């Protein structure tokens, strides 16, 4: 899997970009699923968000992409407050995400799934060419005409990533994208993430494959019981006693 030609920031204009999330509170039935959580994801970097199951990672993703309105807190994109904006408005700011559970159009082919996203963008006249490039970069050309509901989980994950890339994002949120990938596919996926970051995309990665996380992330935020307990470079996070007690000790 070679590095992609797709680069959101290059397509949308020069200049540094940043996603900032601060002091987010989300309450479910009196229980705080998120309690003052936040993160920062600058352009050109892979930012990790890790933690045990039930820590609130997917809920924080839902807040970031506009699927859930927080009880408190703030989300800014390039300095603009988008906390009250919905998913469509945030997509116009260059945000795209994948989901923990596969969310593909099962009856559409792999190519058609990517075209749905590519044709929604501003460069729709180039959509077909963009899709063919993404298919090649993700090694999906041979599967391009297969219906999505006939794919393996690992291939489906790559299709969902490809569909997100077809939107030419500045901010790419990936929720457990390596689930179902074999070792070779995971190595190729790591190369893909590095290439995207090198092109200026801001990537936020939720993932339980700690080898992948520690390999590709520039900075990692650790979420436990709805709160960020540690933020730092991979080597710092791996040595943090709170992280070892809450997550990495059990994940090792």
């Amino acid at each position: 899997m070679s590095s992609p030609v797709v680069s959101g920031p290059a397509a949308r204009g020069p200049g540094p970009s940043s996603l900032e999330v601060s002091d987010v509170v989300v309450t479910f039935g009196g229980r705080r699923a998120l309690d003052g959580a936040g993160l920062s994801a600058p352009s050109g970097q892979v930012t990790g968000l890790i933690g045990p199951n039930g820590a609130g990672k997917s809920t924080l993703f839902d807040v970031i992409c506009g699927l859930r309105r927080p009880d408190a807190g703030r989300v800014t994109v390039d300095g603009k407050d988008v906390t009250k904006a919905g998913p469509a408005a945030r997509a116009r700011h260059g945000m795209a995400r994948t989901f923990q559970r596969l969310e593909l159009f099962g009856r559409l082919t792999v190519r058609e799934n990517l075209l749905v996203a590519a044709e929604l963008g501003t460069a729709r006249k180039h959509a077909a060419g963009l899709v063919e490039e993404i298919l090649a970069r993700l090694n999906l050309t041979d599967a391009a005409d297969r219906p999505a509901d006939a794919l393996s989980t690992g291939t489906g994950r790559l299709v969902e990533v490809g569909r997100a890339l077809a939107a030419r994002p500045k901010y790419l949120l990936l929720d457990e994208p390596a689930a179902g990938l074999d070792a070779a596919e995971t190595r190729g996926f790591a190369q893909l993430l590095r290439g995207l970051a090198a092109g200026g995309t801001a990537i936020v990665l939720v993932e339980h494959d700690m080898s992948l996380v520690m390999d590709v992330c520039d900075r990692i935020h650790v979420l436990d019981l709805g709160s960020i307990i540690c933020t730092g470079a991979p080597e710092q996070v791996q040595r943090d006693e709170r992280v070892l007690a809450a997550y990495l000790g059990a994940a090792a």
Side-chain angles (χ1 to χ4, degrees):
M1 187 184 297
S2 53
S3 298
V5 296
V6 184
S7 175
R12 295 175 181 269
S17 305
S18 182
L19 167 68
E20 303 287 340
V21 185
S22 57
D23 303 320
V24 169
V25 174
V26 172
T27 304
F28 296 133
R31 183 184 70 86
R32 285 198 170 191
L34 293 174
D35 190 6
L39 59 80
S40 175
S43 63
Q45 292 189 18
V46 182
T47 300
L49 177 63
I50 65 172
N53 289 329
K57 302 183 297 295
S58 292
T59 301
L60 185 56
F61 257 31
D62 286 348
V63 170
I64 293 172
C65 73
L67 287 175
R68 182 173 297 280
R69 182 76 61 87
D71 300 314
R74 193 165 182 252
V75 180
T76 64
V77 174
D78 299 341
K80 180 178 177 60
D81 190 335
V82 297
T83 309
K84 296 182 180 180
R90 298 192 199 195
R92 289 192 290 271
H93 283 285
M95 192 178 295
R97 81 169 281 187
T98 66
F99 291 82
Q100 187 178 57
R101 186 182 70 178
L102 282 177
E103 298 285 351
L104 298 175
F105 300 111
R107 295 186 179 182
L108 299 185
T109 66
V110 170
R111 179 180 284 109
E112 289 167 341
N113 266 274
L114 270 60
L115 276 169
V116 167
E119 290 179 345
L120 290 175
T122 56
R124 65 186 60 179
K125 66 180 180 179
H126 303 298
L130 174 64
V131 165
E132 294 307 314
E133 291 182 60
I134 294 172
L135 289 170
R137 296 295 178 176
L138 295 178
N139 292 333
L140 290 172
T141 301
D142 290 344
D145 295 316
R146 294 178 61 192
D149 59 9
L151 303 174
S152 68
T153 299
T155 302
R157 294 284 181 194
L158 292 177
V159 174
E160 195 170 40
V161 171
R163 190 173 61 186
L165 292 179
R168 301 163 69 90
K170 292 171 65 177
Y171 307 97
L172 181 59
L173 282 64
L174 302 174
D175 197 346
E176 298 189 22
L181 301 185
D182 62 27
E185 289 171 332
T186 300
R187 288 193 296 272
F189 188 67
Q191 182 183 2
L192 171 72
L193 295 183
R194 294 189 197 98
L196 285 168
T201 304
I203 299 171
V204 184
L205 175 67
V206 168
E207 183 54 61
H208 286 295
D209 184 338
M210 286 301 100
S211 295
L212 174 63
V213 170
M214 299 302 169
D215 182 32
V216 303
C217 289
D218 298 283
R219 193 168 180 82
I220 298 171
H221 301 265
V222 185
L223 189 65
D224 185 40
L225 299 175
S227 299
I228 298 294
I229 61 171
C230 179
T231 298
E235 56 273 16
Q236 295 174 299
V237 169
Q238 287 176 302
R239 294 194 303 264
D240 190 279
E241 292 184 0
R242 296 165 299 175
V243 178
L244 290 170
Y247 184 51
L248 288 185

